[in-house]
Amino acid sequence: MAPYISAKRKGIHITNLTRTARFLSEACDLVFDAASRRKQFLIVGTKNKAADPIARAAIRARCHYVNKKWLGGLLTNWSTTEMRLQKFRDLRMEQKTGGIHRLPKGDAARLKRQLFHLQTYLGGIKYMTGLPDIVIIVDQQEEYMALQECITLGIPTICLIDTNCDPDLTDISIPVNDDAIASIQLILNKLVFAICEGRSSYIRNP
């Protein structure tokens, strides 16, 4: 991480903002190009304070997202994930049509608990029909399992990394204080804007 650190004061490492700007620009170019070719994105960040900004950013850019808990094998065991997603869709349809409410109280309560669980952990990927083309990860250390699955599958990753992370594990590393919500929002806003612009470019030039 040494090239990504500009100084150390009172035991605290200061991120090199020149590097941050450079790699953020590279990441924005990458996602713009991918979005203009209709590629699919997954945004991952499960820290409590980052959950809402991640959901808002993903919804704004029409991306898939995981913001509560990464379920092991979510990508590497995609066939199992597909079955869970189908179960989720079936339960949502049952709820919308009133089927759950017509069941005995015990069965209805059990299915509602299942639906709540699935909504919590899979709600952000309910429309995902295949593996994502690019994964954006907020906090490399916190989402190490997700990063490892991407590496195993060869899925390109963009990671927000702090001074205690390994930039060599990801395709594009953006050095930033990933404990600061303002930093996370700034980076996400830039990436989301680039994705939205890329999607608009495809619409204008099909």
Side-chain angles (χ1 to χ4, degrees):
M1 275 298 295
Y4 297 80
I5 299 170
S6 62
K8 184 178 180 180
R9 296 173 188 165
K10 297 180 180 180
I12 299 174
H13 291 103
I14 309 300
T15 302
N16 186 327
L17 294 181
T18 302
R19 292 266 181 165
T20 299
R22 171 189 161 190
F23 291 118
L24 176 56
S25 177
E26 287 184 12
C28 287
D29 289 343
L30 174 65
V31 299
F32 175 90
D33 179 66
S36 70
R37 293 184 288 115
R38 301 187 71 185
K39 300 299 183 180
Q40 295 300 306
F41 302 88
L42 173 64
I43 302 177
V44 181
T46 59
K47 281 185 174 179
N48 285 338
K49 60 185 176 183
D52 288 342
I54 285 169
R56 287 195 297 268
I59 292 168
R60 177 180 155 204
R62 289 179 287 128
C63 298
H64 311 293
Y65 66 94
V66 173
N67 69 337
K68 293 299 181 183
K69 177 184 178 181
W70 182 266
L71 302 177
L74 185 75
L75 299 180
T76 50
N77 197 358
W78 179 246
S79 59
T80 298
T81 300
E82 280 187 309
M83 288 190 289
R84 288 174 175 168
L85 288 172
Q86 187 57 55
K87 177 67 173 177
F88 182 29
R89 295 184 193 108
D90 291 345
L91 286 175
R92 290 179 75 226
M93 183 58 66
E94 281 283 304
Q95 185 182 51
K96 286 181 180 178
T97 58
I100 290 180
H101 301 293
R102 290 192 292 270
L103 294 171
K105 285 185 178 181
D107 292 338
R110 178 177 54 81
L111 291 181
K112 285 178 181 178
R113 285 194 299 271
Q114 283 187 26
L115 184 57
F116 176 79
H117 179 85
L118 291 168
Q119 175 62 47
T120 300
Y121 298 116
L122 300 181
I125 64 167
K126 58 180 175 285
Y127 299 119
M128 199 159 85
T129 57
L131 293 174
D133 298 294
I134 294 176
V135 177
I136 298 168
I137 296 175
V138 178
D139 191 336
Q140 184 191 88
Q141 282 203 328
E142 187 79 15
E143 315 305 339
Y144 190 72
M145 188 184 297
L147 176 60
Q148 283 297 321
E149 291 194 30
C150 291
I151 292 171
T152 298
L153 295 169
I155 299 172
T157 55
I158 297 169
C159 273
L160 277 63
I161 61 168
D162 213 330
T163 54
N164 57 352
C165 297
D166 184 352
D168 295 330
L169 292 178
T170 183
D171 294 274
I172 297 181
S173 298
I174 304 173
V176 66
N177 179 0
D178 57 23
D179 288 321
I181 193 64
S183 299
I184 293 172
Q185 288 178 316
L186 174 64
I187 301 297
L188 284 178
N189 285 341
K190 293 287 187 182
L191 292 172
V192 160
F193 181 78
I195 292 171
C196 291
E197 286 291 294
R199 295 200 196 282
S200 297
S201 172
Y202 171 79
I203 293 171
R204 291 194 299 269
N205 304 290

